[in-house]
């Protein structure tokens, strides 16, 4: 590791790695510092009983040729190296309810999406048509979402002031259809009176365009990104947790790692949460109003997950995801559970292998969990890089929760218990420790229609050589954080320069391919 770089990036989540590649391609010396054993943030995978599990990315949208994420990945040079499994085109997601045996489909392709839903709601064809048109109309108003030059956060104030629930409720009186259209809102931790319609549209649209799983886990994306970074002259170092960011005269002068290394740079990009970044820099270096705004932002809810290793040849592989609710009234209220009613909603997804046969290896189920439930153990810290035992009471807590969750899942998959080889869990503390998010937040900060600009954070901070990137900046998800890396680098490189370069690069690739 050199003592000085043009660009020092703290954290190796997707946004940080994208920014690193872009800046390295611009001839800058780049250093990425990662605290964990693995790079990639939510793209990390882990192994239990020789079975690979994803930490946070269970499927990806917009990856068919010419679609938005495909074009970004094409520009980054990683699309050809990915091993992907396309999900079922007629029902990549299904929405289900306790009192209803029907599996309501979300299908790939807007025409197919409409066709499959109309077969269940023939009298609601106009509502479904209006919904599909609205999603596409909204997405067209976010230029970077479509690899076009323009404002990164869209250009229509109304998009930020109408809630997703209010819009969906406005197009139909059918309670079941309302629930089905909103049914995958665990993708963004939707809140009835807060979440804007644009968050719903940007989250769902890419999956309707196309939906894929990464064979053998999403960490293959990280490995390709790190490879491309090194090919461009950049460097990345794991087990290098930044514990201090030194600031003098409104400029960052260096970062210090837990290993005692001090690295200097011309510019610094923080891919860790803004709240933590400000604390590491020292709140005295920021205006009180700015610091107060960032620190008071509401974090999205966290999650509890069970990761099941399946016995060989016991449980058929399912090439779709399940979003399940106790009833239609719980679609926007899953995070408001009581101890007696938990879990009120959950998502089930299966990992896929290269050359997948009919039998599944593993299954992951995710549900909401509030951080307060694990707050009594918050002084403990446990990762692969820093082993720590949280104690018997924590293990007993996880065991009780896993049993309650499994009992709920049995209603949908009655034979699941007899197929279990081993079961493993993760809690809000797992998300906090590995991802570095406040209170184990799944998706950064809550977007709220009542104060739409509050949670928008500029990549340019109040310190001239410090920049933000990552899911707290713009939108979460693979596409959202990829765009955040582009937005951050645009601030450094200037104006339309980078966007035009990416657009031209992907256009050239498409021309050459044709």
């Amino acid at each position: 590791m050199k003592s000085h770089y043009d660009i020092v990036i703290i954290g190796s989540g997707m946004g940080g790695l994208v920014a690193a590649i872009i800046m390295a391609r611009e001839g800058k010396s780049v250093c990425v510092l990662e605290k964990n054993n693995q790079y990639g943030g939510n793209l990390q995978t882990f192994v239990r009983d020789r079975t690979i599990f994803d930490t946070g990315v269970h499927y990806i949208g917009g990856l068919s040729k010419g679609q938005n994420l495909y074009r970004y990945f094409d520009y980054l040079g990683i699309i050809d190296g990915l091993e992907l499994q396309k999900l079922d085109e007629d029902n990549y997601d299904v929405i289900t309810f306790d009192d209803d045996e029907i599996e309501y489909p979300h299908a790939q392709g807007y025409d197919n999406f409409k066709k499959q839903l109309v077969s269940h709601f023939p009298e609601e064809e106009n509502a479904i048509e209006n919904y599909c048109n609205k999603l596409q109309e909204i997405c067209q108003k976010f230029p970077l979402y479509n690899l076009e030059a323009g404002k990164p956060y869209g250009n229509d104030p109304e998009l930020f002031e109408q809630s997703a629930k209010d819009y969906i409720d406005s197009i139909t009186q059918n309670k079941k259809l309302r629930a089905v259209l909103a049914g995958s809102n665990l993708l963004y931790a939707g809140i009835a009176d807060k979440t804007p319609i644009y968050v719903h549209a940007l989250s769902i649209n890419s999956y309707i365009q196309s939906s894929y799983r990464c064979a053998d886990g999403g960490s293959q994306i990280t490995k390709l990104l790190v490879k491309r970074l090194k090919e461009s002259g950049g460097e990345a170092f794991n087990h290098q947790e930044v514990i201090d960011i030194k600031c003098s005269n409104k400029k960052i002068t260096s970062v210090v790692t837990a290993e005692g290394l001090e690295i200097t740079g011309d510019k610094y990009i923080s891919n860790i949460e803004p709240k933590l970044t400000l604390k590491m820099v020292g709140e005295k270096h920021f205006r009180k109003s700015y610091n107060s705004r960032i620190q008071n932002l509401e974090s999205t809810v966290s999650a509890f997950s069970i990761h099941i290793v399946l016995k060989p040849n016991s449980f058929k592989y399912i090439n779709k995801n399940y979003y399940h609710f106790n009833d239609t009234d719980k679609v926007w209220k899953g995070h408001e559970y009581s101890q007696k009613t938990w879990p009120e909603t959950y998502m089930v997804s299966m990992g896929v292998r290269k050359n997948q046969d009919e039998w599944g290896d593993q299954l992951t189920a995710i549900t909401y969990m509030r951080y307060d439930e694990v707050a009594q153990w918050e002084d403990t810290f446990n990762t692969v890089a820093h082993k720590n035992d949280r104690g018997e009471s924590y293990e007993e807590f996880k065991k009780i929760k896993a049993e309650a969750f499994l009992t709920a899942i049995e209603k949908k998959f009655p034979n699941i218990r007899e197929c279990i080889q081993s079961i493993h869990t993760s809690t809000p503390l797992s998300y906090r420790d590995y991802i570095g998010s406040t209170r184990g937040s799944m998706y950064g900060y809550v977007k709220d229609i009542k104060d739409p600009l509050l949670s928008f954070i500029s990549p340019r901070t109040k310190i001239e050589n410090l920049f933000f990137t990552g899911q707290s900046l713009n939108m979460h998800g693979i596409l959202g954080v990829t765009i955040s890396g582009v937005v951050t680098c645009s601030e450094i490189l200037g104006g339309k320069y980078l966007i035009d370069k990416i657009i031209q690069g992907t256009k050239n690739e498409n021309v050459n391919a044709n």
Side-chain angles (χ1 to χ4, degrees):
M1 191 184 298
K2 298 193 284 281
S3 61
H4 185 87
Y5 292 86
D6 296 326
I7 309 289
V8 177
I9 298 178
I10 307 163
S12 71
M14 183 86 186
L17 290 176
V18 169
I21 291 172
I22 290 170
M23 298 311 294
R25 286 182 177 180
E26 292 296 315
K28 307 294 184 183
S29 59
V30 177
C31 169
V32 178
L33 302 171
E34 169 56 47
K35 72 173 183 178
N36 286 316
N37 183 48
Q38 283 189 59
Y39 301 105
N42 273 312
L43 285 166
Q44 294 174 76
T45 54
F46 61 95
V47 176
R48 296 291 183 271
D49 278 0
R50 294 178 292 181
T51 302
I52 299 171
F53 289 91
D54 277 296
T55 299
V57 177
H58 300 284
Y59 62 135
I60 307 174
L63 267 182
S64 286
K65 192 172 182 66
Q67 293 173 354
N68 49 15
L69 190 58
Y70 178 99
R71 293 175 64 195
Y72 276 116
F73 277 14
D74 187 24
Y75 170 76
L76 294 165
I78 66 172
I79 191 68
D80 290 338
L82 293 178
E83 294 277 355
L84 302 170
Q85 165 76 37
K86 194 169 191 181
L87 291 170
D88 193 311
E89 295 202 354
D90 288 341
N91 52 5
Y92 68 90
D93 284 346
V94 292
I95 316 301
T96 61
F97 307 91
D98 269 0
D99 59 353
D100 190 344
E101 293 184 358
I102 298 174
E103 297 182 347
Y104 296 94
H106 287 187
Q108 298 184 53
Y110 273 100
D111 288 342
N112 196 25
F113 184 92
K114 287 181 278 191
K115 175 185 173 184
Q116 299 301 328
L117 275 187
V118 168
S119 69
H120 293 283
F121 301 96
E123 72 288 355
E124 297 289 337
E125 184 170 3
N126 286 341
I128 295 166
E129 176 81 28
N130 290 338
Y131 171 82
C132 291
N133 291 340
K134 183 71 169 181
L135 261 58
Q136 294 172 89
E137 174 190 320
I138 290 171
C139 292
Q140 285 301 315
K141 294 181 179 181
F142 287 79
L144 284 185
Y145 187 84
N146 301 292
L147 281 85
E148 296 172 357
K151 293 180 180 180
Y153 307 124
N155 48 22
D156 184 349
E158 290 185 9
L159 296 178
F160 307 93
E161 296 168 357
Q162 182 179 28
S163 76
K165 182 180 186 300
D166 282 350
Y167 170 72
I168 291 171
D169 287 357
S170 75
I171 61 173
T172 178
Q173 297 299 309
N174 188 307
K175 286 185 66 176
K176 185 60 65 72
L177 179 59
R178 287 175 172 178
V180 169
L181 293 176
S184 57
N185 66 16
L186 198 145
L187 283 167
Y188 51 86
I191 302 173
D193 60 348
K194 292 185 178 181
T195 304
I197 182 60
Y198 84 87
V199 171
H200 176 88
L202 295 180
S203 299
I204 303 301
N205 175 73
S206 292
Y207 293 111
I208 295 177
Q209 288 183 329
S210 63
S211 294
Y212 293 87
R213 284 181 180 149
C214 289
D216 295 332
S219 61
Q220 59 170 297
I221 296 174
T222 306
K223 292 169 185 173
L224 286 167
L225 288 170
V226 172
K227 184 177 180 181
R228 296 294 174 261
L229 172 61
K230 292 179 177 179
E231 288 172 354
S232 300
E235 300 175 19
F237 301 93
N238 59 354
H239 298 284
Q240 292 295 339
E241 181 179 5
V242 173
I243 58 171
D244 190 20
I245 303 174
K246 295 186 179 297
C247 183
S248 177
N249 298 321
K250 291 293 183 183
K251 286 191 74 173
I252 305 300
T253 56
S254 66
V255 298
V256 179
T257 73
E259 300 291 314
L261 297 175
E262 186 166 2
I263 301 106
T264 64
D266 294 334
K267 291 181 172 62
Y268 299 79
I269 298 174
S270 176
N271 190 204
I272 60 177
E273 192 178 332
K275 288 183 182 183
L276 179 58
T277 305
L278 266 58
K279 288 179 179 177
M280 291 173 67
V281 172
E283 296 176 0
K284 65 183 179 182
H285 296 290
F286 300 89
R287 290 199 312 268
K288 283 187 177 179
S289 59
Y290 179 78
N291 185 66
S292 177
R293 180 173 81 86
I294 299 297
Q295 297 300 344
N296 289 326
L297 286 171
E298 180 184 357
S299 297
T300 58
V301 69
S302 191
F304 181 88
S305 302
I306 55 175
H307 312 281
I308 297 172
V309 178
L310 297 164
K311 292 176 182 176
N313 303 335
S314 66
F315 194 96
K316 294 274 182 83
Y317 170 72
I318 304 171
N319 198 36
K320 58 189 172 188
N321 307 300
Y322 280 82
Y323 288 87
H324 184 78
F325 301 89
N326 289 0
D327 59 60
T328 56
D329 292 334
K330 302 301 183 183
V331 170
W332 293 102
K333 297 180 179 180
H335 59 289
E336 298 176 4
Y337 61 86
S338 68
Q339 293 304 312
K340 287 185 177 180
T341 63
W342 183 90
E344 296 182 351
T345 177
Y346 60 81
M347 179 255 202
V348 168
S349 184
M350 297 187 73
V352 65
R353 304 187 306 270
K354 295 173 186 174
N355 305 314
Q356 176 69 48
D357 60 19
E358 66 176 313
W359 299 105
D361 278 350
Q362 54 99 320
L363 178 150
T364 294
I366 306 166
T367 189
Y368 293 124
M369 178 174 279
R370 296 188 291 269
Y371 182 79
D372 292 344
E373 291 206 55
V374 295
Q376 62 181 296
W377 301 286
E378 68 181 354
D379 292 335
T380 64
F381 185 89
N382 183 34
T383 65
V384 171
H386 301 280
K387 288 284 187 185
N388 189 9
D389 186 354
R390 301 194 203 273
E392 288 184 15
S393 61
Y394 180 71
E395 294 304 316
E396 183 63 20
F397 167 82
K398 291 197 297 180
K399 185 177 178 181
I400 291 170
K401 289 296 183 181
E403 174 61 28
F405 199 179
L406 193 57
T407 299
I409 293 169
E410 271 187 298
K411 297 176 185 177
K412 177 58 60 180
F413 304 101
N415 67 328
I416 186 68
R417 280 187 194 270
E418 62 195 57
C419 303
I420 296 174
Q421 180 168 305
S422 61
I423 187 166
H424 313 271
T425 58
S426 57
T427 75
L429 293 178
S430 312
Y431 288 90
R432 182 202 67 177
D433 291 355
Y434 278 95
I435 309 304
S437 55
T438 298
R439 297 171 66 85
S441 165
M442 284 195 288
Y443 305 123
Y445 303 135
V446 171
K447 305 290 192 291
D448 189 345
I449 57 169
K450 292 186 283 293
D451 199 346
L453 295 180
L454 182 67
S455 58
F456 277 91
I457 300 174
S458 169
R460 188 177 290 276
T461 74
K462 304 304 179 180
I463 291 175
E464 65 176 270
N465 65 338
L466 175 64
F467 300 82
F468 289 136
T469 199
Q471 70 173 3
S472 298
L473 198 67
N474 180 10
M475 276 286 290
H476 63 274
I478 295 294
L479 179 59
V481 294
T482 298
I483 292 172
S484 81
V486 173
V487 171
T488 301
C489 291
S490 294
E491 286 286 336
I492 297 171
L493 297 172
K496 291 174 57 200
Y497 167 78
L498 177 58
I499 306 303
D500 289 344
K501 196 169 186 179
I502 293 173
I503 293 168
Q504 193 57 47
T506 58
K507 279 181 180 176
N508 289 340
E509 287 294 326
N510 289 334
V511 168
N512 292 336
N514 292 329

